[in-house]
């Protein structure tokens, strides 16, 4: 891997620099980290054309052994360059070092082998048996085949995990891909393209990796007639636009969008454990996670005691230099994002919420204090809109029915959590919440084999697991005449 200054786009098997670049900054210091090629619509056109040619004219989509071998090579390259990727992720994403040993890097590398293993055993053909119809006997079967050219568009918060969760199943399925990194974290995604080009046998055009600060590049990828599938992770507002743009060519879309997930603490729960869990969860990657539980629902009679425990938990969060192994929370991605978070906190207080902790910027860099808001109105902006920062809104409820009602009072439905001494009660409650994932008493569902996605305006489709693989497959049904009935 080369230094960030040498970052290149991968188009049709070639690593290409550009005359025009845009900067990437270290969010912990605000200092310039490097420059990335500012890809143009011409670059995107070339990438789509390469992906289309590779899908239509090569054996990539039908050669299972080649795809398995290439995925194993990619996994080996990621493993061998793990520490270089770790330092780049810390510097550009602002992820604390300890988080890179989990969902920011080490765990995502395992995604590649998961799909290589699945590809080796997956049955692409299903025999439906015979039927008698129209005086003849017919044999029917279904074959699954690659869906075609995939445009994969990333956000900034978990660029390694999201890139691999999109390209590994797409490549395993036999698709070709154009991957566009987020403009806030381009170097991390371009490093992946460099590893693919230099350490795998993936044929030219099968995967193309772009960086761009131009909105029109993303727009082209979502409207291009030669793109068959769009997979996007990001804000719901952008997801709606992508869904509308894809309608003209009736593309398949997979959208993993926003969340405003609720953690419910029932009256029989261990308040100390639940409070600590709530505090550290919202501070994970500075709250920049779509599935984080940013609403904490607590029994009204225990509201003050629980918020006291959450505040104590937040006080134990070590905010600081993400290169320090002791740091548990780093910066927000940019000054713009910090301004957004701060504005939402100030409006929440003006609307009647009680600021119990935080609500301040930390300099230098783009840090923001872990922030706790109590007695929040469940219909207020801070309870309904995604903050994407370390801000927890505490909402009291009267009884279990009220808790379910408040939890479901959201246009989002990505995740949720419940704490209770009665596990079966917790599971019954979880089944009533309209979300795609759910944690029971701190249970962790996030792994390569678990489908991830949301209900309502949190998205369409599922990422990861067998479901994530099948997002990139089409089904073709066949029938043949076995023998006329009179000859049977």
């Amino acid at each position: 891997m080369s230094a960030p200054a040498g970052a290149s786009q991968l188009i049709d098997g070639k690593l290409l620099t550009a005359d025009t670049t845009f900067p990437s900054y270290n969010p912990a210091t605000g200092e310039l980290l490097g420059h990335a090629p500012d890809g143009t619509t011409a670059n995107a056109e070339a990438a789509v054309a390469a992906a289309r040619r590779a899908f239509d004219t090569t054996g990539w989509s039908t050669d299972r052994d080649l795809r398995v071998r290439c995925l194993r090579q990619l996994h080996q390259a990621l493993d061998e360059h793990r520490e270089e990727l770790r330092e780049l992720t810390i510097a550009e994403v602002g992820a604390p070092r300890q988080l890179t040993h989990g969902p920011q890097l080490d765990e995502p590398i395992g995604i590649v082998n998961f799909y290589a293993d699945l590809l080796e055993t997956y049955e692409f053909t299903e025999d439906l048996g015979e039927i008698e119809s129209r005086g003849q006997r017919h044999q029917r079967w279904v074959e699954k085949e690659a869906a075609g050219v995939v445009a994969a568009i990333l956000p900034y918060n978990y660029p390694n995990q999201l890139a691999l969760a999109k390209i590994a199943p797409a490549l395993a399925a036999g698709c070709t891909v154009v991957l566009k990194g987020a403009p806030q974290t381009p170097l991390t995604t371009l490093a992946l393209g460099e590893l693919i080009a230099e350490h795998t046998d993936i044929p030219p055009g099968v995967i193309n990796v772009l960086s761009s600060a131009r909105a029109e590049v993303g727009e082209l990828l979502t409207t291009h007639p030669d793109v068959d599938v769009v997979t996007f992770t990001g804000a719901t507002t952008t997801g709606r636009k992508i869904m509308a743009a894809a309608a003209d060519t009736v593309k398949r879309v997979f959208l993993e969008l926003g969340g405003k997930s609720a953690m419910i603490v029932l009256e029989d729960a261990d308040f100390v454990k639940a409070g600590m869990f709530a505090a550290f969860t919202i501070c994970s990657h500075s709250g920049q996670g779509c599935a984080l539980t940013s609403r904490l629902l607590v029994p009204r009679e225990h509201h003050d005691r629980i918020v006291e425990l959450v505040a104590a938990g937040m006080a134990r969060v070590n905010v600081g230099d993400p290169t320090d192994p002791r740091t548990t929370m780093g910066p927000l991605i940019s000054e713009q994002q910090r301004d957004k978070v701060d504005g939402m906190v100030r409006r929440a207080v003006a609307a009647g919420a009680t600021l119990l902790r935080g609500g301040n910027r930390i300099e230098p860099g783009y840090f923001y204090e872990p922030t706790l808001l109590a007695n929040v109105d469940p219909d207020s902006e801070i309870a309904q809109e995604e903050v994407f920062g370390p801000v927890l809104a505490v909402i009291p409820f009267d009884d279990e029915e009220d808790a379910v009602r408040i939890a479901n009072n959201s246009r989002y439905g990505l995740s949720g959590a419940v704490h209770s001494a009665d596990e079966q009660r917790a599971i019954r409650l979880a089944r009533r919440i309209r979300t795609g994932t759910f944690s029971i008493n701190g249970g962790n569902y996030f792994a390569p084999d678990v489908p991830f996605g949301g209900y309502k305006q949190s998205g369409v489709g599922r990422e990861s697991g067998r479901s994530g693989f099948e997002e990139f497959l089409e089904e073709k049904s066949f029938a043949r005449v076995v023998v006329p009935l009179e000859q049977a």
Side-chain angles (χ1 to χ4, degrees), residues 299-360:
R300 192 175 302 276
E301 65 271 25
H302 299 294
H303 175 277
D304 293 350
R305 170 60 176 152
I306 294 173
V307 295
E308 182 181 286
L309 292 167
V310 174
M314 284 185 169
R316 296 176 60 183
V317 174
N318 188 1
V319 182
D321 180 1
T323 65
D324 188 335
R326 296 167 298 180
T327 296
T328 51
M329 189 183 111
L332 293 168
I333 192 64
S334 66
E335 185 65 31
Q336 180 183 24
Q337 180 60 22
R338 185 166 66 171
D339 286 345
K340 177 199 169 189
V341 172
D342 189 55
M344 292 186 73
V345 170
R346 294 185 182 283
R347 289 194 298 275
V349 173
T354 303
L355 178 63
L356 292 182
R357 192 189 189 286
N360 296 305

Side-chain angles (χ1 to χ4, degrees), residues 107-108 111 114-115 118 161-162 164-170 231 254 256 437 445-453 461-472:
E107 290 174 4
I111 293 171
F114 171 82
Y115 283 107
L118 179 62
Q161 189 275 328
L162 290 163
L164 294 174
K166 293 181 187 301
I167 71 169
T231 170
F254 163 71
E256 197 273 280
T437 55
Y445 53 78
F446 202 72
D449 60 336
V450 177
F452 180 80
R462 292 294 181 270
E463 198 159 67
S464 299
R466 187 184 184 94
S467 299
F469 176 70
E470 291 176 342
E471 290 283 350
F472 299 104

Side-chain angles (χ1 to χ4, degrees), residues 2-21:
S2 60
S8 302
Q9 298 184 105
L10 175 61
I11 301 175
D12 203 9
K14 299 182 179 66
L15 291 169
L16 304 173
T17 56
D19 294 333
T20 305
T21 63

Side-chain angles (χ1 to χ4, degrees), residues 378-398:
D379 295 318
S380 64
E381 179 195 41
I382 202 71
Q384 291 292 323
E385 300 297 329
E386 190 171 43
V387 180
F388 234 57
V391 179
L392 185 63
V394 183
I395 304 171
F397 63 82
D398 295 320

Side-chain angles (χ1 to χ4, degrees), residues 264 399-405 407-409 425-435 438 440 455-456:
I264 301 171
D399 53 28
E400 189 173 318
E401 290 298 317
D402 194 34
V404 170
R405 180 189 62 79
N408 284 328
N409 176 30
R425 179 191 181 193
I427 293 172
R428 287 194 301 271
L429 182 145
R431 287 180 174 138
R432 299 177 64 191
I433 309 301
R434 300 280 295 165
T435 64
F438 217 90
I440 310 295
Y455 290 19
K456 298 188 279 188

Side-chain angles (χ1 to χ4, degrees), residues 167-190:
I167 71 169
L171 295 176
C175 294
T176 57
V177 181
V178 179
L179 176 69
K180 179 186 175 297
Q184 299 91 339
T185 54
L187 303 178
T188 305
T189 304
L190 293 174

